[in-house]
């Protein structure tokens, strides 16, 4: 019995090492739900991917009503934060939203889910519905993730079907069933409102989608340059997210270790996830997950930050820049739709080139200070109010194109 348990633990560790924490967790949860002596029910798990019809309850379709289909959420989800922020701004513009959690996992009560959104994200007026029964008719139905796109495809109660695409989700998985099912959603005929130009171009060119890009903003009342307490100490911040492969945690560690060997007096600050289970040879402060209100001061105490993005760009560079911290990131169209050499240092996605960039930035104080001043001004010009107005422009464009998509 003990030997069998050890084998299972070893298998989980190997899965984490090879595929990452989140895929391993999903596999463990599926196995626990399956129970001993039962078959894996592929049909039940992926039944949403087969065509079906989803009707709305009888009622009038009112202009300015939006049905948002979202995956269930947890309190640390940046993607959900952007969705709820957008809903909040649109409500202030006069739109009426309903949030639909079609496949609830964390929440079993709609009122409790709504209260969590209001307390921990934004004080929305929107209703929250769990499941796909009794959906009201709406002018717009919006998919916000690949698995929600299947429900929007099936829904017959909306005049216009949209897809709020924040990243290229097929890249989230190894090549297989889920990457293919995610990619298929870009062929559903929805009008796409995308986070940035890279996604808008990619989806239009490769899948023929009609797209409208919106940018990123900064919470200017939160992210700002704060007094530096120990300016004589050079510090490098690293956005360390081991369970998120697209943030290139392993490459980042190689970069920081190379910087430390060249500049042994530099201090390193890691935040974003618990890294206690990783061998990290260089001296560092491991902050784990940091409360939002504590981030501006943490960023302001650092001279430079390493933020890597292998799919769509992160919001983090703008928030760091608004806090007075110079940023090093990787080259790529997925990043350069937002960032450029005038406000950040961009390098090839190799440990040696990125380490060169960080060291050069740390060793040239005049250049670094000038860069951080330009970057701060740029970041502070990016507002969520402007992003929301661009999103509304996308809604108006969708009205003219009338792309219902799906059935």
């Amino acid at each position: 019995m003990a030997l069998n348990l050890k084998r299972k633990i070893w298998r989980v560790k190997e899965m984490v090492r090879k595929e990452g924490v989140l895929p391993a967790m999903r596999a463990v949860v599926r196995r626990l739900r399956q129970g001993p002596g039962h078959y894996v029910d592929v049909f039940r798990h992926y039944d949403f991917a087969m065509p079906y019809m989803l009707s709305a309850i009888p009622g009038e379709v009112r202009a300015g009503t939006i049905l948002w289909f979202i995956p269930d959420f947890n309190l640390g989800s940046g993607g959900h934060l952007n969705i709820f922020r957008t809903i909040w701004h649109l409500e202030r513009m006069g739109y009426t939203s309903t949030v639909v959690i079609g496949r609830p996992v964390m929440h079993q009560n709609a009122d409790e889910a709504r209260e969590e959104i209001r307390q921990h994200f934004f004080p929305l007026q929107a209703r929250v519905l769990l499941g796909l029964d009794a959906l009201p008719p709406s002018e717009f139905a919006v998919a916000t993730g690949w698995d929600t796109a299947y429900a929007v495809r099936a829904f017959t109660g909306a005049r216009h079907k949209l897809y709020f695409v924040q990243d290229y989700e097929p890249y989230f998985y190894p090549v297989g069933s889920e990457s293919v099912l995610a990619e298929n959603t870009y062929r559903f005929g929805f009008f796409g409102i995308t986070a940035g130009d890279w996604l808008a171009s990619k989806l239009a060119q490769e899948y023929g989608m009609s797209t409208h890009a919106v940018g990123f903003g900064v919470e200017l009342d939160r992210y700002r340059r704060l007094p530096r307490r120990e300016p004589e100490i050079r510090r490098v911040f690293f956005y360390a997210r081991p369970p998120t492969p697209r943030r290139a945690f392993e490459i980042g560690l190689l970069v920081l270790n190379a910087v430390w060997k060249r500049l042994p007096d530099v201090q390193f600050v890691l935040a974003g996830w618990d890294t206690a289970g990783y061998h990290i040879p260089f001296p560092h402060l491991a902050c784990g997950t940091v409360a939002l209100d504590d981030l501006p001061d943490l960023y302001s105490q650092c001279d430079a930050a390493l933020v890597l993005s292998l799919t769509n760009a992160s919001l983090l560079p703008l928030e760091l820049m608004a806090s007075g911290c110079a940023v090093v990131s990787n080259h790529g169209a997925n990043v350069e739709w937002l960032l450029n050499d005038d406000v950040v240092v961009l390098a090839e996605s190799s440990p040696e080139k990125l380490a060169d960039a960080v060291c050069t930035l740390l060793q040239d104080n005049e250049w670094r200070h000038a860069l951080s001043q330009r970057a701060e001004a740029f970041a502070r010009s990016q507002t969520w109010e402007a992003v929301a107005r661009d999103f509304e422009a996308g809604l108006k464009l969708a009205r003219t194109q009338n792309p219902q998509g799906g059935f």
Side-chain angles (χ1 to χ4, degrees):
M1 185 70 176
L3 181 60
N4 190 38
L5 179 60
K6 287 181 179 179
R7 286 175 178 168
K8 290 180 179 179
I9 293 173
W10 179 84
R11 287 173 61 190
V12 172
K13 287 182 177 179
E14 279 296 291
M15 193 180 304
V16 170
R17 183 180 66 83
K18 293 179 179 179
E19 302 183 23
V21 175
L22 291 181
M25 288 175 61
R26 283 196 293 266
V28 170
V29 169
R30 283 198 296 267
R31 186 65 182 88
L32 291 173
R33 286 177 175 171
Q34 173 189 344
H38 290 79
Y39 292 109
V40 175
D41 192 345
V42 171
F43 302 96
R44 184 167 179 265
H45 189 72
Y46 293 102
D47 60 349
F48 66 88
M50 298 301 292
Y52 65 100
M53 303 289 286
L54 183 62
S55 301
I57 60 176
E60 178 187 359
V61 177
R62 293 186 293 113
T65 52
I66 310 175
L67 210 56
W68 299 82
F69 291 73
I70 72 168
D72 208 347
F73 64 92
N74 58 55
L75 299 185
S77 172
H80 284 90
L81 176 63
N82 289 341
I83 294 167
F84 297 143
R85 180 191 288 116
T86 302
I87 295 173
W88 184 71
H89 279 288
L90 290 174
E91 285 183 343
R92 300 176 76 185
M93 297 177 183
Y95 291 83
T96 301
S97 288
T98 300
V99 174
V100 180
I101 303 174
R103 298 169 70 91
V105 177
M106 275 78 75
H107 298 91
Q108 302 304 319
N109 182 284
D111 291 335
E112 291 177 2
R114 182 175 185 270
E115 191 57 31
E116 279 190 23
I117 294 170
R118 290 177 54 83
Q119 285 188 7
H120 299 286
F121 291 96
F122 288 89
L124 305 184
Q125 298 301 312
R127 288 192 303 155
V128 174
L129 302 177
L130 298 186
L132 298 174
D133 298 326
L135 299 181
S138 62
E139 183 180 15
F140 302 101
V142 183
T144 59
W146 73 267
D147 50 346
T148 69
Y150 286 89
V152 172
R153 179 181 68 167
F155 186 55
T156 61
R159 288 180 181 164
H160 312 284
K161 296 184 179 183
L162 290 85
Y163 202 161
F164 182 25
V165 184
Q166 298 191 64
D167 211 335
Y168 186 70
E169 293 185 302
Y171 285 166
F172 290 10
Y173 307 97
V175 174
S177 295
E178 289 183 316
S179 67
V180 170
L181 291 173
E183 185 180 16
N184 288 346
T185 62
Y186 303 136
R187 301 185 179 94
F188 285 177
F190 301 159
F191 182 86
I193 298 181
T194 68
D197 294 322
W198 173 66
L199 282 168
S201 297
K202 185 177 182 65
L203 299 183
Q205 293 171 8
E206 297 182 18
Y207 303 97
M209 284 183 66
S210 298
T211 58
H212 172 81
V214 300
F216 285 165
V218 180
E219 295 180 48
L220 298 179
D221 54 343
R222 168 174 285 137
Y223 295 101
R224 62 197 184 282
R225 189 189 294 257
L226 297 174
R228 184 73 181 268
R229 290 186 290 277
E230 297 171 307
E232 72 281 0
I233 299 176
R234 291 183 294 184
R235 291 194 182 91
V236 175
F237 175 87
F238 175 48
Y239 183 42
R241 290 275 306 177
T244 310
R246 61 188 180 277
R247 301 305 174 206
F249 171 72
E250 297 81 5
I251 292 177
L253 287 190
L254 296 176
V255 172
L256 299 189
N257 199 52
V259 172
W260 172 58
K261 289 181 177 179
R262 296 188 213 176
L263 304 173
D265 64 324
V266 171
Q267 295 185 1
F268 300 93
V269 179
L270 277 59
W273 199 262
D274 181 10
T275 57
Y278 291 84
H279 171 62
I280 302 178
F282 51 86
H284 65 283
L285 174 64
C287 299
T289 303
V290 181
L292 288 177
D293 289 340
D294 295 331
L295 287 174
D297 182 67
L298 181 65
Y299 297 161
S300 296
Q301 306 311 312
C302 298
D303 298 280
L306 178 65
V307 182
L308 302 177
S309 296
L310 304 184
T311 57
N312 202 18
S314 167
L315 290 174
L316 202 64
L318 289 180
E319 296 166 353
L320 284 155
M321 292 152 62
S323 304
C325 183
V327 172
V328 174
S329 191
N330 53 286
H331 274 302
N334 57 306
V335 171
E336 293 175 59
W337 71 265
L338 177 66
L339 307 176
N340 60 68
D341 291 313
D342 193 50
V343 294
V344 299
V345 180
L346 296 169
E348 294 178 16
S349 301
S350 69
E352 60 271 22
K353 295 296 185 182
L354 289 163
D356 288 344
V358 174
C359 289
T360 302
L361 189 60
L362 291 174
Q363 292 174 304
D364 191 333
N365 292 334
E366 184 177 351
W367 176 45
R368 186 178 70 253
H369 290 317
L371 179 72
S372 71
Q373 292 287 344
R374 293 195 303 272
E376 182 181 6
F378 171 73
R380 299 197 70 80
S381 70
Q382 311 300 305
T383 68
W384 286 114
E385 289 78 7
V387 174
R389 288 194 295 271
D390 285 344
F391 197 100
E392 184 186 28
L395 295 178
K396 293 178 178 178
L397 188 57
R399 280 180 176 138
T400 65
Q401 297 197 8
N402 195 34
Q404 291 196 17
F407 296 106

